[in-house]
Amino acid sequence: MNNDQYLLAIETSCDETAVAVIKNETELVANVVASQIESHKRFGGVVPEIASRHHIEQITVTLEEALQEAGMTLDDMDAIGVTEGPGLVGALLVGVNAAKGIAFARQKPLVGVHHIAGHIYASRLEKEFEFPLLALVVSGGHTELVLMKGHNNFEVIGETRDDAAGEAYDKVARLLKLPYPGGPEIDKLAAAGEPVIDFPRAWLEEGSFDFSFSGLKSAVTNKLHNAGQKGEEFRPEDVAASFQESVVEVLSTKTKKAAEAYGVKQVIVAGGVAANSGLRARLLETFRETDQELLIPPLKFCTDNAAMIAAAGAVAYRQGHRAGWDLNAHPGLDLEEYGKRRRN
Amino acid sequence: MNILAIDTSNYVLGVAVIKNREVVGEWVTNVKKNHSVRLMPAINQMMRETETSPEELDQIAVAHGPGSFTGVRIGMATAKSMAFALDIPVVGVSSLEVLARQGIFFKGLICPFFDARRGRVYTGLYDEEMNVVMEEENIDMKTWLERLHDMKQPVLFISQDESAFREMIEQELGDRAVFPGAAHRYARPSYLALSAMKKPASSLHTLMPNYLRLPEAEQKWLRQKEK
Ligand SMILES: [Zn+2]
């Protein structure tokens, strides 16, 4: 009798159509991502309707590729997982309905997965979790500090009050006339510059683990505008480096303070901005000689993928969670609520 | 030959099971409610009532549009993934053709249409044998009616959006315009299955929605490019 557990997961919350197969919660057997980024570049951002169209075009191709890569069939799967939210509703709907189609056709259990839970569980593909742990989630839509005292137990102890860090990156990239997506472009530029401009850091009230990036964004706008009027010029490399320095300093300092305040054993960095080399370097330095172990997923697990959804879904499946045939897309799904439902 | 037919391309949510050319089950609602939530429970119920297990299915039929972009994709994602999981053929049928079949006993031309807003419609023209007389289009209703006018034949208009266009149609075609009763204005999934039986199976990966319309962002982008 073979007691290995296999789960196939689908992710379509934004602009990647992805399918993965995972064994026993942490062993990745297949991981296929069909990116659409080229289709959205000319619009300077993800166009929801175009994203949804690509998903429906790619979904069965991606499924087939993933099973081929795994060298398995749907017979071998114990359950089907899918991102139910948050994300673009039309995009999510393709994945959710495809997952339901497969699960119903083969009479397999169905598990709905929170996209951010997925980003956090990406780290578990590398190293077993030790609770309590703290996750710094940074992406285009999210900037938050999440405390986990156990599996699927999420407490948001700090979050952005305005823009997400990734949003600030995109806006500053546009100011500097960099191509979409702006984050990696700024990161590249920053590496060649010096943080000579002193942009503000939003620390907020003493003891708060919340973030705010809208002030920084305005400061960059004003600085460039004023400089232009005075005929001064900043090197774009230096603007990028100074902006990134401000973001990275706030993120790493707050993460460090929260890690100490909650006495966590591990610190996880999750989300697309976790691919930022400046942030990775600073966090490595910050946590080099501390009691907390720092887990940063490899680059391929920072951007959206289904491996992370499989990793989170397999845990929810083991915990006994089952979605009904009426599973829907939830574009604004709350992480704490989701965790509660998974544990009960 | 057992067929499961799925239509979520417009307001109608339709599911039917056909066994050996007999319609053993058909479920239709015409309410503006979430297809994504209701489709799979409807399929589950229909399969149970007709004592059909998924592995007994030989084919999936799906309405591939035109219609609501999201609605079309809900049905397509479900149909394609079921066909993939069961390794059976999937057949896409035009949502307009399915609707046109409601007029099967009419002697004349059949014009199904869906409101595409701003005076436009998704429409096509069929004869009594369901042959295509004019290809499907996303077109200004006025322009479309002028073309129908020139055909000098009675035309049956089938649409749940009838009331929005009825006056315009009668003005253009007068007595030659015919409107069916309420029971015939909605697409039926049994007709979808029967249409599918007459068509070759689509290739799973290349079967795509037929939107008849570019995304808004793409239209804008093309207009700007032309300037
Ligand atoms: Zn993401």
Side-chain angles (χ1 to χ4, degrees):
Chain A
M1 189 64 198
N2 189 344
N3 285 323
D4 287 335
Q5 180 219 87
Y6 290 93
L7 181 133
L8 176 141
I10 300 174
E11 147 71 32
T12 63
S13 68
C14 190
D15 61 345
E16 323 273 6
T17 316
V19 178
V21 176
I22 205 166
K23 178 184 175 185
N24 299 333
E25 298 182 22
T26 54
E27 292 169 53
L28 200 56
V29 187
N31 183 32
V32 177
V33 181
S35 178
Q36 325 170 342
I37 199 153
E38 289 305 319
S39 308
H40 298 283
K41 264 186 179 161
R42 64 195 156 119
F43 302 109
V46 175
V47 180
E49 174 58 22
I50 292 174
S52 306
R53 289 187 180 199
H54 280 295
H55 287 310
I56 195 73
E57 287 162 17
Q58 290 298 324
I59 189 71
T60 54
V61 181
T62 317
L63 279 163
E64 189 170 89
E65 256 179 64
L67 285 170
Q68 261 164 18
E69 193 176 299
M72 304 178 91
T73 70
L74 288 170
D75 281 331
D76 304 314
M77 299 301 127
D78 293 284
I80 309 297
V82 64
T83 308
E84 60 170 311
L88 303 169
V89 64
L92 288 165
L93 280 171
V94 174
V96 165
N97 285 284
K100 288 202 284 188
I102 292 170
F104 179 79
R106 302 304 286 261
Q107 297 291 301
K108 305 271 183 195
L110 180 68
V111 180
V113 182
H114 193 289
H115 182 79
I116 297 301
H119 272 302
I120 295 172
Y121 272 91
S123 277
R124 193 166 175 244
L125 294 168
E126 301 291 308
K127 187 104 205 289
E128 184 54 275
F129 282 178
E130 284 176 58
F131 302 109
L133 63 79
L134 179 74
L136 168 67
V137 180
V138 266
S139 71
H142 297 263
T143 305
E144 50 205 30
L145 283 165
V146 180
L147 180 68
M148 288 181 73
K149 291 181 183 153
H151 281 298
N152 275 333
N153 183 338
F154 307 103
E155 189 188 332
V156 177
I157 59 164
E159 60 196 328
T160 183
R161 294 184 185 170
D162 37 64
D163 297 344
E167 253 175 296
Y169 266 93
D170 285 341
K171 283 175 187 167
V172 171
R174 263 186 298 237
L175 283 173
L176 293 174
K177 303 197 166 53
L178 301 174
Y180 170 85
E185 295 290 332
I186 291 200
D187 196 18
K188 246 189 274 166
L189 215 53
E194 289 297 324
V196 293
I197 313 162
D198 190 24
F199 287 128
R201 276 92 169 128
W203 298 114
L204 307 174
E205 327 74 74
E206 182 65 35
S208 167
F209 297 124
D210 282 350
F211 302 96
S212 165
F213 293 104
S214 68
L216 170 61
K217 179 195 67 195
S218 317
V220 177
T221 312
N222 293 339
K223 198 83 185 179
L224 291 179
H225 180 77
N226 293 342
Q229 282 191 327
K230 284 189 229 152
E232 282 179 87
E233 226 181 287
F234 289 112
R235 290 170 63 222
E237 289 86 350
D238 293 343
V239 176
S242 308
F243 162 76
Q244 179 145 308
E245 175 66 22
S246 169
V247 174
V248 164
E249 188 183 330
V250 172
L251 289 176
S252 57
T253 306
K254 291 222 174 202
T255 305
K256 175 97 190 299
K257 282 191 175 163
E260 283 164 0
Y262 288 91
V264 300
K265 295 196 178 117
Q266 291 175 326
V267 172
I268 287 174
V269 194
V273 183
N276 182 287
S277 66
L279 180 63
R280 292 170 88 95
R282 179 67 57 88
L283 286 166
L284 281 170
E285 193 184 302
T286 307
F287 288 96
R288 195 166 44 202
E289 275 161 27
T290 58
D291 299 334
Q292 298 93 14
E293 179 185 24
L294 181 71
L295 307 182
I296 308 185
L299 293 179
K300 65 173 175 182
F301 296 141
C302 291
T303 46
D304 290 350
N305 62 82
M308 66 186 205
I309 301 303
V315 173
Y317 173 66
R318 193 224 320 141
Q319 288 176 325
H321 167 72
R322 302 290 181 268
W325 297 131
D326 61 350
L327 178 70
N328 198 11
H330 295 111
L333 189 63
D334 183 89
L335 182 62
E336 292 181 350
E337 284 300 314
Y338 160 84
K340 267 183 215 154
R341 279 192 281 124
R342 290 304 169 274
R343 283 176 286 128
N344 290 334
Chain B
M1 175 88 165
N2 300 333
I3 305 180
L4 171 70
I6 297 169
D7 184 359
T8 58
S9 58
N10 289 277
Y11 286 160
V12 163
L13 185 157
V15 176
V17 172
I18 275 73
K19 288 187 175 175
N20 303 322
R21 298 188 163 263
E22 194 164 344
V23 182
V24 292
E26 179 165 30
W27 160 263
V28 177
T29 61
N30 181 45
V31 286
K32 205 177 168 181
K33 273 192 195 155
N34 200 323
H35 288 340
S36 171
V37 172
R38 296 164 59 236
L39 175 61
M40 198 50 85
I43 293 174
N44 186 33
Q45 177 77 6
M46 175 62 55
M47 303 273 287
R48 271 176 30 188
E49 296 273 335
T50 60
E51 293 175 6
T52 317
S53 67
E55 60 268 26
E56 287 173 317
L57 292 172
D58 299 298
Q59 190 182 93
I60 312 276
V62 62
H64 64 45
S68 139
F69 295 167
T70 299
V72 169
R73 281 191 292 264
I74 288 169
M76 291 287 281
T78 305
K80 287 182 73 158
S81 65
M82 284 186 74
F84 170 78
L86 296 167
D87 198 18
I88 56 174
V90 57
V91 180
V93 178
S94 156
S95 303
L96 287 164
E97 183 186 326
V98 177
L99 191 55
R101 283 187 183 271
Q102 284 281 22
I104 199 89
F105 298 112
F106 182 73
K107 296 287 160 227
L109 297 170
I110 302 164
C111 174
F113 69 89
F114 302 114
D115 192 350
R117 288 190 294 268
R118 275 173 260 156
R120 299 180 75 84
V121 287
Y122 299 122
T123 190
L125 195 66
Y126 300 81
D127 69 14
E128 296 154 29
E129 261 100 55
M130 284 301 127
N131 299 306
V132 176
V133 178
M134 284 208 278
E135 292 289 340
E136 310 185 334
E137 302 195 46
N138 165 9
I139 187 174
D140 181 68
M141 186 57 136
K142 265 225 129 75
T143 315
W144 177 254
L145 289 173
E146 281 160 19
R147 283 195 215 160
L148 295 187
H149 183 95
D150 296 340
M151 304 196 71
K152 316 250 184 253
Q153 280 187 67
V155 183
L156 180 72
F157 289 88
I158 308 180
S159 177
Q160 68 180 109
D161 305 311
E162 179 191 300
S163 60
F165 293 93
R166 185 154 179 162
E167 215 171 296
M168 189 195 281
I169 294 169
E170 284 176 335
Q171 257 172 21
E172 195 67 37
L173 296 181
D175 287 350
R176 281 195 282 121
V178 183
F179 300 91
H184 299 279
R185 282 184 211 136
Y186 313 100
R188 282 177 50 189
S190 50
Y191 280 133
L192 163 59
L194 298 171
S195 288
M197 288 173 77
K198 299 193 173 81
K199 291 182 199 299
S202 323
S203 131
L204 175 68
H205 296 324
T206 54
L207 172 64
M208 292 303 153
N210 182 20
Y211 303 104
L212 289 184
R213 178 137 96 187
L214 288 172
E216 202 107 356
E218 195 127 10
Q219 291 176 31
K220 238 189 243 166
W221 187 79
L222 287 173
R223 276 200 299 273
Q224 258 161 13
K225 217 177 105 187
E226 271 162 27
K227 272 179 202 165

